[in-house]
Amino acid sequence: MMRAYRWLLPHPYLTAILAIVWIMLQNKATAGMAVFGLILGIIIPRLTSIWWPDTPKFRILRMVPYTLLVVWDIVVANIQVAWIVLTVPNSKLKPAWIVVPLDLKYPEAISTLAGTITLTPGTVTADVSDQGNCLLVHVLHTHDPDAVRDDIKTRYESRLLRIFS
């Protein structure tokens, strides 16, 4: 029974997320849209499961506080970037390229970290090394690039290590 379940739903969280996103995109929650969303949520992960050989264990309950932290950081960063844009002349800006070494091993975790950095205003993930062991991050304005690197590692990466373990 468990084998049939794993074959039908190789990524159950992805199935649920795809179904919910489908319903949200339709702007109406009808039974037909829910059924079609579930069908898409079953078919898409099933068709793409061959490219996901080593799916990490994912602790969904640990993702909730991480998501709240990221949303808070996005709000704060929006205010900080607006302040920088309004008060710091272009000649005084101190942009920086920062190399962030990674302890994360799973591509899903690295993608989540890169997405988190890019979603936060004032920073963008520009590249991932070929070996997947570091990120290249651009920062709009900083006086201490090492502090930004350390903040990314302690604030985001350490939590992602606990989520994707």
Side-chain angles (χ1 to χ4, degrees), residues 15 33 61 73 76 80 108 110 125-126 131 142 151:
T15 298
M33 287 298 124
L61 293 178
D73 286 351
V76 170
Q80 290 172 338
E108 294 87 354
I110 295 169
T125 303
Q131 297 80 21
T142 185
D151 192 40

Side-chain angles (χ1 to χ4, degrees), residues 25-132:
L25 286 173
Q26 299 307 311
N27 286 329
K28 56 185 168 190
T30 63
M33 287 298 124
V35 169
F36 192 69
L38 282 173
I39 291 170
L40 287 176
I42 291 170
I43 291 173
I44 292 171
R46 182 71 205 119
L47 291 176
T48 61
S49 66
I50 61 172
W51 292 290
W52 298 37
D54 295 329
T55 303
K57 292 179 183 175
F58 179 78
R59 295 187 169 83
I60 192 86
L61 293 178
R62 291 185 181 174
M63 194 65 171
V64 173
Y66 180 79
T67 303
L68 293 173
L69 172 74
V70 170
V71 168
W72 174 255
D73 286 351
I74 289 171
V75 170
V76 170
N78 270 299
I79 295 166
Q80 290 172 338
V81 168
W83 182 255
I84 290 168
V85 168
L86 293 173
T87 62
V88 178
N90 287 346
S91 61
K92 303 273 184 183
L93 275 178
K94 294 185 178 179
W97 288 100
I98 301 168
V99 175
V100 180
L102 297 176
D103 297 322
L104 297 169
K105 300 298 177 213
Y106 294 108
E108 294 87 354
I110 295 169
S111 295
T112 303
L113 178 61
T116 298
I117 292 167
T118 301
L119 280 172
T120 308
T123 57
V124 65
T125 303
D127 196 13
V128 180
S129 68
D130 290 339
Q131 297 80 21

